[in-house]
Amino acid sequence: MCSWITEKTGIVAHGKGVSEWISLRTANVYYDHPASAPLDHALIIDFLNETEGPGARVAVELSAESARALVRAIEAALAAGEQCHESTSRTHTKERKTETADERR
Amino acid sequence: MYEGMIAETITISGHGGDAIEAYFARPLGSVGLPGVVVFHHMPGWDEWSKEVTRKLAFHGYAALCPHLFSRHGPGRWDDLAAAARAAGGVSDAQVMGDAKGAMDYLRNQPYASGRVGVIGFCSGGRQAYMAACTLPGLDAAVDCWGGRVVARPEELNERQPRAVIDMTPDMACSLLGIFGNDDGNPDVEQVNRIEAELTKHGKTYEFHRYDGAGHGFFAVDRPGYRPEQAVDGWKKVLSFFERYLRTD
């Protein structure tokens, strides 16, 4: 089942989007001078699809503190989400087995 | 001051004869103009780099800023900077070839005096230092906080095979260096090493080091901008170019 488990964190960042959903194949991660965020250095993530040209790029530039907060949020969301989905999956499997046993009877 | 100017994007012949973009600004109606090649900083061929190019035109120079990531285009300047990074960066040989193309373009204009200097910021400062050591016929070079002029062996690779500081014996023009004492790249110790190398080889140079300033303190659109130090630094730059690019 789907859940509403969400980790929320405040960030200092700039982002660059595209108008439509695009497939992304590479994430380049680096800490350097940003193009847009008003920071000396930023943790920059370029999500790219190099086969679609340089404009196929979703980019974020985060302060170092925001980037660390994001890492924690990602880890927390994965841990909580995976645990929730695992237990839901076990319940489903158990329910399916019970149904099969009932059908046999 | 030269208040009338033309500023535009043009195409020049870069390294290997490749057609690359360049931002060009020059005073209107003047002849005998010295030229300046502008190396943009690492974030790319951005608005501020073009402001610098126009500032030099305002002070009487034909200024040309080649787009060092142009080959990854067409596209937005920041996307092309990201594409250049994704490809592993640009090689020193390519950048010097592009700079040579820009120098040739400037010298071939009917209003050119024939004298040409370079100025670069951040990674471009390193490239300006390298140009002073490797491009024949250059008349002056300005290195603004060029990082990794001093390079550890593990920082060298196929694209950047040689530490720029080791090229110092071949420096063939005068050098101006502008640095912030709070900068981490180059830090004070690295600037000391560069200065010692220049002294050791008897090069003509002047360094200005600013307290209360870090990396990129000329850049008005970044938090490292330090107006007092930047205003003085620009005076030093313009005075240096006046001395080496306008005198016969």
Side-chain angles (χ1 to χ4, degrees), chain B residues 1-17:
Chain B
M1 304 303 176
Y2 296 75
E3 293 180 346
M5 71 173 74
I6 183 166
E8 58 186 339
T9 298
I10 62 171
T11 301
I12 64 168
S13 180
H15 182 67

Side-chain angles (χ1 to χ4, degrees), chain B:
Chain B
M1 304 303 176
Y2 296 75
E3 293 180 346
M5 71 173 74
I6 183 166
E8 58 186 339
T9 298
I10 62 171
T11 301
I12 64 168
S13 180
H15 182 67
D18 296 343
I20 63 166
E21 292 177 303
Y23 188 71
F24 186 38
R26 66 178 170 86
L28 285 171
S30 300
V31 294
L33 293 176
V36 177
V37 177
V38 179
F39 291 104
H40 62 74
H41 53 182
M42 182 72 102
W45 196 54
D46 63 354
E47 185 174 339
W48 181 74
S49 301
K50 292 166 187 171
E51 286 175 17
V52 166
T53 308
R54 290 195 298 274
K55 183 178 182 72
L56 289 164
F58 182 76
H59 287 276
Y61 299 91
L64 186 56
C65 181
H67 186 186
L68 302 175
F69 309 142
S70 184
R71 291 170 182 80
H72 296 279
R76 282 173 53 108
W77 64 268
D78 50 354
D79 287 336
L80 302 196
R85 178 181 290 273
V90 293
S91 73
D92 286 343
Q94 181 177 295
V95 172
M96 289 302 102
D98 289 350
K100 174 70 166 56
M103 286 171 63
D104 290 346
Y105 182 90
L106 289 169
R107 283 214 167 95
N108 286 332
Q109 301 313 305
Y111 42 76
S113 73
R115 287 187 172 266
V116 176
V118 294
I119 186 169
F121 307 87
C122 179
S123 56
R126 173 181 173 276
Q127 290 155 356
Y129 195 106
M130 192 187 316
C133 301
T134 62
L135 295 183
L138 203 57
D139 296 298
V142 178
D143 166 8
C144 293
W145 48 90
R148 294 200 305 108
V149 168
V150 178
R152 295 188 302 273
E154 61 269 27
E155 291 177 315
L156 302 177
N157 53 47
E158 200 175 80
R159 289 166 192 260
Q160 299 184 345
R162 200 170 160 215
V164 178
I165 192 171
D166 295 339
M167 302 177 188
T168 304
D170 297 324
M171 188 174 284
C173 67
S174 299
L175 178 79
L176 172 70
I178 302 281
F179 305 98
N181 288 331
D182 297 337
D183 198 340
N185 183 30
D187 62 23
V188 169
E189 177 54 31
Q190 288 173 329
V191 177
N192 288 343
R193 283 184 60 186
I194 297 165
E195 187 158 18
E197 193 73 3
L198 288 162
T199 304
K200 177 180 160 188
H201 294 286
K203 301 301 175 184
T204 304
Y205 75 94
E206 61 179 74
F207 275 14
H208 299 279
R209 306 173 182 220
Y210 291 90
D211 287 329
H215 197 80
F217 64 92
F218 279 20
V220 295
D221 57 350
R222 290 179 180 270
Y225 179 54
R226 295 293 177 272
E228 187 181 338
Q229 294 87 337
V231 166
D232 189 76
W234 269 117
K235 282 182 185 166
K236 299 289 193 299
V237 169
L238 294 169
S239 166
F240 180 80
F241 278 152
E242 192 73 22
R243 202 175 332 139
Y244 290 102
L245 298 184
R246 287 206 197 274
T247 52
D248 292 326

Side-chain angles (χ1 to χ4, degrees), chain A residues 16 26 28-41 44 46 48 50 53-57 59, chain B residues 42-43 46 72-83 85-87 122 215 221-226:
Chain A
K16 174 193 171 294
T26 306
N28 287 336
V29 183
Y30 49 100
Y31 188 65
D32 211 327
H33 307 304
S36 176
L39 301 163
D40 284 329
H41 292 85
I44 302 168
D46 289 328
L48 303 171
E50 284 139 315
R57 181 173 76 108
Chain B
M42 182 72 102
D46 63 354
H72 296 279
R76 282 173 53 108
W77 64 268
D78 50 354
D79 287 336
L80 302 196
R85 178 181 290 273
C122 179
H215 197 80
D221 57 350
R222 290 179 180 270
Y225 179 54
R226 295 293 177 272

